Amino acid sequence: MIVRTLEECRNSERRVASETWESVRMLLKDDNMGFSFHITTIFENTETHIHYQNHLESVYCMSGTGEIEVIGGKTYQIEPGTLYILDKHDEHYLRAYKDTPMVMACVFNPPITGAEIHDENGVYPLVD
């Protein structure tokens, strides 16, 4: 059995941050569960370009408001209780509105190793 708290993960190498987001990676590839689980904060009044070419992701908004704009497609509003699923490696912009950060619970398949950040194309590398 694995038991971890958000706070202990936040105060370890499992916390990875950029200018627009912070991701606390609570479950990673080396935990051998077949997926990874993160609590990610999208900072207020930011936009992040994302294109997970090597991963599928499900994201559940726990707090905050914003939007996801699928490049070449629709824009969807995000608020607490919204789940979005990137089942087609959807290239998108994720925006948090200026009043509050968005806190999201995220699941990745295949799992990430923990140190990944978006490259210049918004992609996480695939690690064998």
Side-chain angles (χ1 to χ4, degrees):
M1 178 181 289
I2 300 168
V3 177
R4 295 186 177 113
T5 68
L6 179 60
E7 200 56 36
E8 80 180 285
C9 292
R10 183 176 279 129
N11 292 318
S12 75
E13 70 283 348
R14 291 176 175 272
R15 179 187 171 273
V16 178
S18 78
E19 293 180 3
T20 61
W21 55 265
E22 168 190 272
S23 180
V24 181
R25 283 100 187 253
M26 298 187 72
L27 186 69
L28 294 168
K29 182 178 182 174
D30 64 3
D31 292 313
N32 297 311
M33 291 296 296
F35 61 93
S36 56
F37 178 82
H38 321 165
I39 299 297
T40 299
T41 302
I42 308 300
F43 302 139
E44 63 270 10
N45 200 31
T46 63
E47 175 181 272
T48 304
H49 173 240
I50 302 171
H51 190 190
Y52 295 127
Q53 296 174 1
N54 301 309
H55 299 84
L56 300 174
E57 182 189 27
S58 294
V59 180
Y60 178 79
C61 179
M62 298 185 302
S63 66
T65 58
E67 66 184 24
I68 182 170
E69 177 188 352
V70 179
I71 295 177
K74 292 179 65 173
T75 299
Y76 300 90
Q77 298 303 302
I78 299 172
E79 60 186 30
T82 302
L83 173 72
Y84 67 85
I85 300 126
L86 302 168
D87 62 335
K88 295 181 177 47
H89 305 282
D90 311 89
E91 184 174 9
H92 61 281
Y93 289 104
L94 185 58
R95 299 180 186 102
Y97 294 149
K98 56 184 153 187
D99 58 335
T100 181
M102 288 192 299
V103 179
M104 322 286 261
C106 309
V107 176
F108 278 84
N109 184 11
I112 67 166
T113 63
E116 290 87 347
I117 58 170
H118 303 110
D119 70 13
E120 66 278 358
N121 297 310
V123 176
Y124 279 170
L126 183 60
V127 179
D128 291 327

